[in-house]
Amino acid sequence: MTAGLDPVAVPPDATAAAVGPRRRGGVGRLLRNPLAVGALLVLAVVVLTALFAPLLAPGSPTHADLRAVLAPPGPEHLLGTDGLGRDVLSRLLYGARTSLVAGVTAVVVAVLVGVPAGLFAGYHLGWFDTVGNWIVNAIIALPGIVVLLVVISAVGANMVFVMAVFGVLISPGFFRITRAATIRARAELYVDAARVSGLSDARIMLRHVLPVVRAPIIIQASMMVGVGISVQSGLAFLGLGSAREASWGAMINDAFANIYGAPGLIFPPGLAIGLTVASFAVLGSALRDALEDDTGGSTSAAPADAHEPSVEATPQGSETVLEIRDLSVRYPGAGGSRTVVSGVTLGVSRGEVLGLVGESGSGKTQTAFAMLGLLPPEAEVSWSSLAFGGEDVRAGDGSALAALRGRRMAYIPQEPMSNLDPSFRIGTQMAEPMRRHLDVSRAEARRRATTLLERVGIRDPERVLAAYPHQISGGMAQRVLIAIAISCNPDVLVADEPTTALDVTVQAEVLDLLRDLQRERQMAVILVTHDFGVVADVCDRVAVMRHGVLVEAGTVTELFGRPQHPYTRMLLASTLEGKEPRQRLLEPLGGAR
Amino acid sequence: MLGFLAKRLASGVVLVFAVSAAAFMLISIAGGDIARTIVGDAATQQQVDQKAAELGLDQPLLEQYWSWLGAALRGDFGTSWFTNLPVTELLLTKMPITLSLALVGTVVSAALGVALGTIAAVRRGIVDRLLQVLVIAGFALPGFWLALVLVSAFAVQWGLLPATGYVPFGFSPAEWARSITLPVAALAIGVTGATAQQVRSGLIDVLRQDYIRSLRGRGLSNANIVLRHGLRNAAPSALTVISLQFINLLGGAVIIERIFALPGLGAMTLDATTQGDVPQIMGVVVLTVGIVVTVNLVIDVAYGWLNPKVRIR
């Protein structure tokens, strides 16, 4: 590394700045969660009990009174006595001590072992990381209780020591969390910058990496204290605890011995363990929610502009295939619902290509998804009418739309690679819709798939059919998706930026293919795009969308010739500005090439 | 894939050696005067020394381990110091009991967990809420405590199922099933929630993927999308947690066998470790680690089968 170069100007507390506000919000959020508050209260009681057991307990936890064996609850013994006449309440209170010491010992050791090792491994990688991972995998593969039994047989039932060994056994969790977070943090710019500016590795880890891993470690620790308490109880139940100390596990052991005489004895210690461990778990997951889950809305769409009324983008005269009126899409959120599409009316006729244009966040993709019935379940969708081929299919539950999908309406996505199921061969994925909608045999579906692949310009269809998605290129994947979309002869094709994710050279080919298929099959196409070049190339009509409403609509000739809305003019200008004039733009619009 | 498996197998073998060596050193160093324990307090020092020589305890530690290892590699794990029964034979008679518990428990909890997790992921709402409660309860209530509650209800109060004892499968499958129902239930209840939770979150992640939307866009049925495409893609993460549960249950069997008086590996481990019976402890340690290594190998193969990217590589 080139240490000693000009120190790059990095705010020393860049991480703190990133983490700080989140944490403060986190604590507040934690205290607003009633479950978390309940868990904290339970744990406060347990901790206080453990600290002040001698003051609180009515008697000695170990004093056996053989005249009062298995006494029922009464004024003298509030929870009765056990098989040796010991006061159950006192044992319960002292047991909290044993449990907490056990859980905390295990976690402290686990953190001391796992966190530094994880930091080091994640920071330096290399041989230490390899060895560390091997050891971690080995530890995970061991049945913990067998290891603990072996340790106990070797060193005796020293609870603190045994729980420390257990801490080593659960350290892999901490190691992995720390390692992963460290690798992530290291990939961030500020660590590199800190290295360049000559900070020592140890300082970098303490100042930049540790704050990032703090939250997940606290969460894991909370869970693991509970696990430690459980394990210690189990060992005590087996009679491997110290006989002089009261513990919840030992109480269950005594209850087990008297299960016929006093079956109720299992409840006080069992519930004590259950409540305590559950509280640690609840606290852990509440911490996770408060500290880690910072994600807000689920879409990138900006709120709709309510001031501007939406124009209509319906075809004139000719045979309308699909028309939706007054489409609105809202997402409920913390601060009231957000409208991302508002009052949109549009339609396409047979053999027509409608371009739906707008910047990202304008609601164009949301509109396309809504017309296909593909919005996420949390979206609130409404429209006044939806007609397909002249028939009203407005059933609100989406079942009417579902019946059309794949068969009469098909969808071509933006990202080819993420839109093929990685676990299934392409042939299987191509055959599925045909088998369902066209009711053809497996062999027939395969034959048709081959023909379709040839049609979309794939030269070795057999190889592609047998391939998994990760084995083909993005351009090829998009051709496959197009082939699937047209496989059941749809009337309408909805294509969501079908070329955006592709290489420039492949873009033109795929666009040509789409246009040819559209003409050949006289499909109606709704083409979502932000690219006016694409619009000029393939569309008949255009609808321009901004802030969830249609601001302008018309034929391509009209819109390119006399754009009315300032937003359209701006978009057009930005498309043309600073670029070489595209060949296709200079050609007669919609003309053959 | 084959090279990967060979590497995993080698790593597993190394693990068995490493653990056996560590365990042997640990129990031998801290074992105390084991020969005295065996022959009893009344025996003379000469008898004790004689016993120690007989067991090879007068040899250096490394030599002891070496001779144990040599015999073990030939499949001979020696004889128990306390009962004089051959350890290999003991292991073979006890293994079916513990494996019955762990395997049936894993299968039952996996089946329930996948079903529950799937429903929770798809329906959310009340099922999801109930699942969260089950997860916390399963995590918080110790298995041995649940076992006691089950015993006191089903065996002591209602007399529906046996409280103790084991009937071999070969002897009577129906009785075998009755004898392991309560122990398996006690083991499975806790881990079912955890498996379901993993399946739930894995499936929710998968169902958010773009290709699921594309599948819906092709008009495929919901059942097909969730059960075929969804579960198939969520399977690797579910498999990981299920294999960890198996290891968990193998350990959990130690306590459960004690409660239900089942003469399995767990009970044997407990006795052997309390007595300091080195050949038995070593046998159990090697066997359990061997089982775990085998299970992990099987999981690796399944993983490769499930994930085409791994398979091709």
Side-chain angles (χ1 to χ4, degrees):
Chain A
M1 276 310 296
T2 44
L5 278 181
D6 229 29
V8 177
V10 180
D13 53 353
T15 345
V19 174
R22 248 173 114 195
R23 271 177 54 81
R24 243 170 280 134
V27 173
R29 241 174 304 174
L30 187 68
L31 293 178
R32 276 198 302 274
N33 178 348
L35 270 178
V37 174
L40 281 172
L41 285 178
V42 170
L43 294 179
V45 169
V46 174
V47 170
L48 290 176
T49 308
L51 285 176
F52 299 111
L55 299 177
L56 295 167
S60 153
T62 47
H63 173 69
D65 181 359
L66 292 176
R67 289 161 306 156
V69 169
L70 298 181
E76 202 175 330
H77 299 287
L78 284 175
L79 290 175
T81 60
D82 69 1
L84 291 175
R86 294 172 295 195
D87 183 57
V88 170
L89 181 60
S90 305
R91 287 177 68 71
L92 200 62
L93 295 177
Y94 275 93
R97 244 180 206 201
T98 314
S99 288
L100 275 188
V101 170
V104 170
T105 306
V107 166
V108 167
V109 171
V111 169
L112 288 179
V113 174
V115 172
L119 272 177
F120 201 78
Y123 194 80
H124 289 291
L125 299 173
W127 68 267
F128 186 86
D129 187 45
T130 312
V131 173
N133 271 311
W134 193 86
I135 294 175
V136 157
N137 286 329
I139 293 178
I140 288 174
L142 295 175
I145 191 112
V146 175
V147 176
L148 293 184
L149 289 179
V150 170
V151 169
I152 290 173
S153 84
V155 302
N158 177 337
M159 192 264 280
V160 171
F161 182 80
V162 171
M163 290 318 289
V165 172
F166 182 69
V168 175
L169 292 180
I170 56 172
S171 63
F174 292 92
F175 174 86
R176 285 187 168 173
I177 291 171
T178 313
R179 177 179 171 273
T182 308
I183 291 176
R184 248 179 289 125
R186 201 176 179 282
E188 309 260 332
L189 215 62
Y190 54 76
V191 171
D192 273 341
R195 280 168 71 97
V196 171
S197 68
L199 284 181
S200 74
D201 284 354
R203 297 250 331 247
I204 293 172
M205 281 194 236
L206 280 182
R207 275 187 28 197
H208 294 284
V209 181
L210 210 51
V212 185
V213 300
R214 198 163 43 193
I217 288 172
I218 291 172
I219 294 162
Q220 174 83 357
S222 175
M223 301 275 192
M224 285 299 135
V225 173
V227 174
I229 290 174
S230 271
V231 164
Q232 190 275 329
S233 307
L235 292 173
F237 171 75
L238 288 174
L240 300 173
S242 160
R244 282 174 292 112
E245 274 169 309
S247 85
W248 293 339
M251 291 176 74
I252 297 182
N253 187 1
D254 177 74
F256 177 42
N258 298 293
I259 194 157
Y260 289 91
L265 278 181
I266 59 175
F267 289 105
L271 294 179
I273 297 173
L275 260 179
T276 310
V277 178
S279 297
F280 277 112
V282 166
L283 183 65
S285 72
L287 277 169
R288 176 185 344 258
D289 292 346
L291 296 176
E292 288 188 343
D293 193 20
D294 268 335
T295 47
S298 55
T299 70
S300 60
D305 188 347
H307 304 296
E308 201 164 9
S310 200
V311 302
E312 294 193 356
T314 46
Q316 272 132 16
S318 50
E319 193 189 346
T320 304
V321 196
L322 173 66
E323 186 181 278
I324 193 163
R325 303 200 72 87
D326 301 321
L327 169 72
S328 291
V329 180
R330 276 182 303 276
Y331 284 93
S337 67
R338 265 171 350 117
T339 305
V340 295
V341 176
S342 168
V344 163
T345 295
L346 58 79
V348 273
S349 61
R350 192 161 184 77
E352 182 191 45
V353 182
L354 169 70
L356 189 54
V357 194
E359 293 171 313
S360 58
S362 61
K364 56 190 194 305
T365 297
Q366 295 290 313
T367 304
F369 283 164
M371 296 179 83
L372 288 160
L374 290 182
L375 287 170
E378 63 269 24
E380 295 168 358
V381 195
S382 72
W383 58 72
S384 64
S385 85
L386 173 64
F388 195 94
E391 277 169 69
D392 195 3
V393 284
R394 59 174 310 182
D397 62 349
S399 61
L401 265 182
L404 295 172
R405 275 202 302 268
R407 205 182 309 241
R408 317 255 331 246
M409 294 199 293
Y411 161 62
I412 298 174
Q414 174 173 359
E415 272 299 332
M417 290 318 283
S418 67
N419 276 286
L420 286 167
D421 185 334
S423 302
F424 288 86
R425 293 179 195 277
I426 300 218
T428 315
Q429 300 191 50
M430 287 195 73
E432 252 178 332
M434 286 191 275
R435 305 252 300 143
R436 178 174 166 86
H437 300 312
L438 307 179
D439 200 23
V440 295
S441 70
R442 201 177 290 268
E444 172 64 11
R446 181 146 188 113
R447 201 188 56 74
R448 291 193 189 195
T450 315
T451 319
L452 283 164
L453 285 186
E454 279 165 354
R455 176 63 198 87
V456 298
I458 288 176
R459 260 177 249 109
D460 46 354
E462 291 301 329
R463 184 189 75 82
V464 172
L465 284 177
Y468 284 95
H470 71 274
Q471 296 169 309
I472 62 174
S473 70
M476 211 178 263
Q478 190 59 296
R479 286 171 199 272
V480 168
L481 285 164
I482 292 173
I484 296 177
I486 62 168
S487 64
C488 300
N489 304 311
D491 303 308
V492 178
L493 207 54
V494 178
D496 181 14
E497 308 242 13
T499 56
T500 310
L502 303 176
D503 287 347
V504 182
T505 46
V506 186
Q507 279 185 7
E509 288 170 27
V510 168
L511 214 54
D512 283 345
L513 171 67
L514 266 179
R515 191 176 45 189
D516 292 347
L517 286 170
Q518 182 265 329
R519 291 206 180 124
E520 188 178 298
R521 296 168 174 242
Q522 280 299 295
M523 287 182 292
V525 175
I526 296 175
L527 183 68
V528 176
T529 179
H530 62 271
D531 186 345
F532 266 103
V534 171
V535 171
D537 203 14
V538 297
C539 294
D540 302 306
R541 277 190 310 121
V542 205
V544 182
M545 207 164 173
R546 184 175 71 151
H547 298 342
V549 297
L550 290 180
V551 295
E552 185 165 9
T555 65
V556 169
T557 334
E558 285 168 2
L559 208 106
F560 275 76
R562 296 180 301 280
Q564 302 294 311
H565 198 277
Y567 179 64
T568 313
R569 274 184 237 134
M570 189 200 83
L571 274 185
L572 269 173
S574 69
T575 304
L576 301 173
E577 197 175 88
K579 290 188 180 172
E580 282 178 38
R582 290 180 188 228
Q583 189 59 38
R584 53 191 181 211
L585 264 181
L586 300 176
E587 284 180 6
L589 294 171
R593 295 177 69 188
Chain B
M1 185 71 201
L2 271 179
F4 172 71
L5 283 182
K7 235 168 105 181
R8 292 301 301 252
L9 184 64
S11 152
V13 171
V14 173
L15 179 66
V16 174
F17 275 106
V19 170
S20 74
F24 195 93
M25 301 302 156
L26 192 65
I27 37 183
S28 302
I29 289 171
D33 194 357
I34 191 74
R36 162 64 73 187
T37 319
I38 296 171
V39 292
D41 287 338
T44 62
Q45 187 57 42
Q46 195 195 349
Q47 285 169 306
V48 172
D49 291 343
Q50 196 185 335
K51 189 71 191 174
E54 192 187 310
L55 298 177
L57 295 177
D58 50 353
Q59 304 292 316
L61 200 52
L62 260 179
E63 206 135 305
Q64 287 182 44
Y65 176 66
W66 195 246
S67 68
W68 173 86
L69 187 63
L73 285 177
R74 292 190 302 272
D76 174 13
F77 287 94
T79 56
S80 160
W81 286 352
F82 289 85
T83 61
N84 276 326
L85 293 169
V87 171
T88 315
E89 205 169 290
L90 275 172
L91 292 175
L92 287 179
T93 52
K94 288 168 187 304
M95 193 168 71
I97 300 172
T98 305
L99 279 186
S100 292
L101 292 185
L103 275 178
V104 177
T106 307
V107 169
V108 168
S109 70
L112 287 176
V114 169
L116 207 58
T118 306
I119 298 173
V122 175
R123 292 275 158 80
R124 304 291 185 92
I126 184 84
V127 189
D128 208 8
R129 227 60 70 60
L130 284 175
L131 175 61
Q132 301 311 317
V133 174
L134 177 70
V135 171
I136 298 279
F139 177 75
L141 295 172
F144 60 93
W145 185 77
L146 277 175
L148 291 186
V149 173
L150 291 175
V151 166
S152 81
F154 288 91
V156 177
Q157 299 283 328
W158 302 327
L160 292 175
L161 291 161
T164 55
Y166 177 78
V167 181
F169 184 83
F171 184 74
S172 158
E175 285 303 308
W176 169 80
R178 272 170 57 83
S179 70
I180 65 163
T181 299
L182 286 182
V184 164
L187 283 172
I189 288 174
V191 296
T192 297
T195 306
Q197 178 80 327
Q198 183 66 45
V199 171
R200 173 192 172 275
S201 59
L203 193 56
I204 286 178
D205 273 353
V206 168
L207 292 179
R208 272 199 211 116
Q209 299 295 312
D210 286 352
Y211 56 80
I212 295 293
R213 183 171 51 221
S214 277
L215 290 169
R216 283 174 60 214
R218 286 170 212 156
L220 302 183
S221 72
N222 244 331
N224 179 3
I225 292 174
V226 171
L227 299 181
R228 199 166 124 92
H229 293 275
L231 282 186
R232 173 61 188 275
N233 282 289
S237 62
L239 206 60
T240 308
V241 79
I242 290 171
S243 72
L244 285 176
Q245 301 299 15
F246 176 78
I247 299 174
N248 234 336
L249 294 193
L250 214 51
V254 172
I255 302 185
I256 294 296
E257 283 174 10
R258 167 66 156 273
I259 292 173
F260 292 94
L262 302 173
L265 286 179
M268 175 179 165
T269 315
L270 204 52
D271 294 342
T273 46
T274 14
Q275 292 172 325
D277 192 337
V278 174
Q280 280 210 54
I281 299 176
M282 291 306 295
V284 166
V285 165
V286 169
L287 182 64
T288 33
V289 176
I291 290 175
V292 169
V293 166
T294 313
V295 167
N296 284 339
L297 266 179
V298 171
I299 295 294
D300 282 337
V301 173
Y303 233 91
W305 179 73
L306 280 170
N307 185 348
K309 288 188 201 175
V310 175
R311 194 186 325 164
I312 304 299
R313 194 173 52 194

